[in-house]
């Protein structure tokens, strides 16, 4: 597994599922106020990359499947174990906590997709990611840097044209520039989430495929 392959294939998987994931996020935001249902949809958003890794067609309404709510207890237990482990790892001069974070990065997917209990999921994730943590780290880091760079240059690009005195006095230039910046930021965010999910799906496919 290489960084270039993870980024290339992750980008492809993310773009392929762009509209489905966007629809799932919209449905999640619309129903996040509904008790109990919101737990299942949260678990679903965490674990959709497992299905994406197998090339399955993702439906936006997939997040309401009852199988996610059935994992509620184990999900909360796993979240507690994972958070405590990373927290105590960070206390030992930060690096151990970061290592644990990537060692256990597939635990939630394994919990739901493979039907493991919390401790099994943590152990299996640690085993599967052994020797690959640096690749996983660099893949997400490069995506994060690209997102930061694009977000930073948008104000420069949208504000780089000449403006008239009338525009400056009326505030039209400021309004149009701000609106353009906002639209670009929303577009980048909409692209970032599916690509991040696609990268997770590719990592899961490479490390956790039963084939």
């Amino acid at each position: 597994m290489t960084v270039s392959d993870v980024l290339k294939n992750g980008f492809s998987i993310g773009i392929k599922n762009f509209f489905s994931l966007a629809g799932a996020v919209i449905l999640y935001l619309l129903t996040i106020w509904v008790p109990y249902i919101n737990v299942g949809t949260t678990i679903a958003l965490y674990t959709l990359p497992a299905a994406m890794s197998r090339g399955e067609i993702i439906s936006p309404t997939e997040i309401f499947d009852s199988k996610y709510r059935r994992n509620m207890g184990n999900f909360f237990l796993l979240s507690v174990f994972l958070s405590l482990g990373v927290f105590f790892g960070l206390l030992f001069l930060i690096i151990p906590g970061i290592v644990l974070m990537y060692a256990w990065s597939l635990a939630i997917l394994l919990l739901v997709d493979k039907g493991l209990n919390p401790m099994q999921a943590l152990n299996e994730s640690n085993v599967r990611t052994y020797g690959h943590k640096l690749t996983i780290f660099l893949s997400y880091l490069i995506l994060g840097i690209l997102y930061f760079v694009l977000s930073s240059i948008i104000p420069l690009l949208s504000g780089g044209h000449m403006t008239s005195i009338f525009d400056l006095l009326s505030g039209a230039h400021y309004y149009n520039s701000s609106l353009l910046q906002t639209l670009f930021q929303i577009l980048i965010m909409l692209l970032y989430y599916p690509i991040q999910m696609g990268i997770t799906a590719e990592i899961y496919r490479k490390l956790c495929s039963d084939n």
Side-chain angles (χ1 to χ4, degrees):
M1 186 173 74
T2 65
V3 173
S4 60
D5 283 343
V6 169
L7 291 174
K8 180 180 67 176
N9 295 332
F11 181 87
S12 176
I13 294 172
I15 295 302
K16 177 183 176 182
N17 291 278
F18 174 79
F19 292 106
S20 296
L21 291 173
V25 170
I26 291 172
L27 290 176
Y28 174 77
L29 294 174
L30 290 174
T31 59
I32 194 172
W33 57 273
V34 183
Y36 185 57
I37 296 296
N38 55 13
V39 177
T41 55
T42 299
I43 296 172
L45 288 184
Y46 270 112
T47 56
L48 283 179
M52 293 166 57
S53 71
R54 294 186 288 270
E56 296 178 11
I57 303 300
I58 302 298
S59 169
T61 57
E62 167 74 11
I63 63 174
F64 299 114
D65 195 304
S66 61
K67 68 182 180 182
Y68 298 111
R69 294 191 295 276
R70 286 199 298 269
N71 285 280
M72 180 173 63
N74 282 335
F75 172 77
F76 285 135
L77 283 175
L78 176 58
S79 298
V80 170
F81 294 151
L82 197 155
S83 299
L84 286 175
V86 171
F87 172 74
F88 284 110
L90 292 173
L91 294 180
F92 286 87
L93 301 181
I94 300 177
I95 299 299
I98 296 175
V99 171
L100 281 177
M101 183 169 62
Y102 287 98
W104 293 343
S105 59
L106 302 177
I108 294 177
L109 281 80
L110 289 165
L111 177 88
V112 176
D113 191 49
K114 306 292 187 182
L116 305 181
N117 65 46
M119 298 308 298
Q120 288 173 332
L122 289 171
N123 180 67
E124 188 69 13
S125 179
N126 184 58
V127 171
R128 301 272 185 154
T129 57
Y130 184 79
H132 301 286
K133 286 186 281 292
L134 181 59
T135 300
I136 297 172
F137 169 75
L138 290 175
S139 299
Y140 287 120
L141 177 64
I142 291 173
L143 177 63
I145 291 174
L146 288 174
Y147 174 78
F148 175 77
V149 170
L150 288 174
S151 298
S152 299
I153 65 175
I154 282 174
L156 299 177
L157 294 176
S158 61
H161 57 273
M162 297 296 292
T163 59
S164 66
I165 295 178
F166 175 78
D167 287 337
L168 292 174
L169 292 176
S170 66
H173 165 66
Y174 175 80
Y175 174 79
N176 292 332
S177 178
S178 297
L179 179 61
L180 189 61
Q181 290 177 33
T182 300
L183 291 175
F184 273 119
Q185 292 286 1
I186 292 173
L187 176 61
I188 290 176
M189 289 178 64
L190 287 175
L191 285 173
Y192 175 80
Y193 175 68
I195 293 173
Q196 182 192 49
M197 295 276 280
I199 287 175
T200 301
E202 174 63 11
I203 293 170
Y204 188 78
R205 184 181 73 85
K206 288 285 190 180
L207 301 183
C208 300
S209 174
D210 292 329
N211 297 327

